[in-house]
Amino acid sequence: MAKPMTKAQLVAAIADDAGTDKKTAAASLEALLAIITKEVSAGGAVTLPGVGKIYCRERPERMVRNPATGEQIKKESDKVVKMTIAKALKDSVNG
């Protein structure tokens, strides 16, 4: 498995593909991440065409087991961020 792309590598790739400098590419990436964070935190969803959909889902209250002691404890309801991968991306990986 290949190593994941770092933020610096991603910024450099965006700058290269867009034909701009790294400072502009970094600002664009930060703005995109801020928008996604704000929208998903508010309970919305963001669709990135060709990549997938990022959304927040609420998990109900449930019983869980402490792995150290084996004791059953009640876990309060919480929210979790999910992502559904787009069919186009799945096909490009498997094709």
Side-chain angles (χ1 to χ4, degrees):
M1 184 170 153
K3 293 174 85 172
M5 183 180 270
T6 65
K7 182 179 177 182
Q9 292 170 331
L10 181 59
V11 167
I14 292 170
D16 188 44
D17 285 0
T20 186
D21 59 17
K22 288 182 183 179
K23 186 175 182 180
T24 305
S28 298
L29 180 61
E30 289 298 325
L32 177 65
L33 295 176
I35 291 167
I36 291 171
T37 301
K38 184 174 84 174
E39 185 65 26
V40 173
S41 295
V46 176
T47 300
L48 300 172
V51 176
K53 180 179 176 182
I54 303 170
Y55 58 96
C56 185
R57 184 177 74 82
E58 189 160 334
R59 288 194 296 195
E61 185 177 276
R62 62 197 184 280
M63 296 300 290
V64 295
R65 188 178 69 84
N66 181 337
T69 64
E71 175 189 8
Q72 291 283 332
I73 55 175
K74 183 186 252 184
K75 186 165 185 348
E76 299 297 321
S77 63
D78 60 347
K79 294 180 181 178
V80 61
V81 176
K82 295 283 192 173
M83 182 168 184
T84 303
I85 305 302
K87 185 175 182 337
L89 182 57
K90 288 180 188 177
D91 291 345
S92 70
V93 169
N94 292 321

